[in-house]
Amino acid sequence: MLLKTFGWSFAVTVAGLALAGVLWGWQGLAIVGILSILEISLSFDNAVINAGILRKMNAFWQRIFLTIGILIAVFGMRLVFPVVIVAITAKLGPIEAVNLAINDKAHYQELVTSAHPAIAAFGGIFLLMIFLDFLFEEREHKWLAWIEKPMARMGKLDTLSIIVALVVLLVSAMTVATSVAHGGGDKSATVLLSGVAGLITYLVVGGISGYFEDKLEEDEEDDAVAAAASGGAVNGTPPVPRKGAGAVMGMAGKAAFFMFLYLEVIDASFSFDGVIGAFAITNDIFEMALGLGIGAMYIRSLTVFLVRKGTLDDYVYLEHGAHYAIGALAVILLITIKYEINEVITGLVGLVLIGLSFWSSLVRNRREGKPGSDAPAKSEVTSGV
């Protein structure tokens, strides 16, 4: 199971480190290794969030996530994205931007860093919306009940998450964006525009994927009703039992496609801090893409591992911890518009929150005699896809 899931990640690691050693020597090999560890530490919460979405998809779309998805993650976000940002913000042609990235690395790094306020505002608001929609939703299991119960009641106002996100964006534009650490000057207009773009992106992609997911649920419920009325079968096919309230197993077609797009946008938002943070280690885009790409491979393999092991079903507070980590990352991204925050702090915040949620899940399982505890299980729990 472990080798099957992480085999490609192990192979890419060996090949990537070997290539780094050949091209850039021991120093390059060390840089690529450090970048890989940086990406994994910053994105562990990303794997948990991705697993919560990926487990709804069928095997075909899970393979798409591991193949086409990883190409987008490695070459799109870790190699092409920084060059595109430079081309847009510096008003350069794509060829000129690539030439700058290869031949004038110091100036290229300066231009990418100056684009940080726009990147942080877009990614910060997008991630904040994910956290707020989770926080304001009524759910069966509550980790921090003293926070989640009142927030769920407040969440009955459908537009509350949008209102809160816009207020946070406005406050950010009026405070941290007035005198930024990256590029200097007043970036209020840039932050406002980028934040609104992040909000619109979330509403469009998340809204479309949610629409198809809800429609699929309705179709399944209609089939179940028709099956009950006809003696338990629809068109001669018995209904497939669902593995949990609100879960859509084996999602395919348009629903899976838009959910895949949603996953990729989430991954892009998570990668922003990693790409910017990588410039503290190297300004060579190829070293950066290779190191962060290796880390991205492990995050995707970990996502599939969590899905196939049914970890989120067995440890019910993991998703809570990951979403709180997302909220923390969103706030950190907005703060870094003006203030420098070490990537180690960003990574530790996420790991601590997920670690605490995992420990809380263990305590709950031990109390109820469920998987993950030393006590005998009282009932069989479905795990994996």
Side-chain angles (χ1 to χ4, degrees), residues 256-327:
F257 172 72
F258 283 104
M259 194 64 75
F260 171 75
L261 291 183
Y262 181 54
L263 268 175
E264 291 306 313
V265 177
I266 290 176
D267 180 75
S269 299
F270 270 99
S271 71
F272 290 154
D273 59 330
V275 171
I276 297 298
F279 279 102
I281 300 171
T282 181
N283 55 15
D284 188 305
I285 61 170
F286 299 109
E287 288 181 345
M288 192 181 302
L290 188 56
L292 297 180
I294 291 173
M297 280 291 299
Y298 279 96
I299 295 302
R300 267 166 166 64
S301 295
L302 180 60
T303 297
V304 173
F305 180 81
L306 293 174
V307 171
R308 292 175 178 169
K309 292 287 289 184
T311 305
L312 300 185
D313 293 325
D314 294 339
Y315 304 95
V316 296
Y317 298 138
L318 267 182
E319 281 191 279
H320 295 71
H323 278 89
Y324 280 105
I326 282 181

Side-chain angles (χ1 to χ4, degrees), residues 55 239 383:
R55 63 178 173 170
S383 64

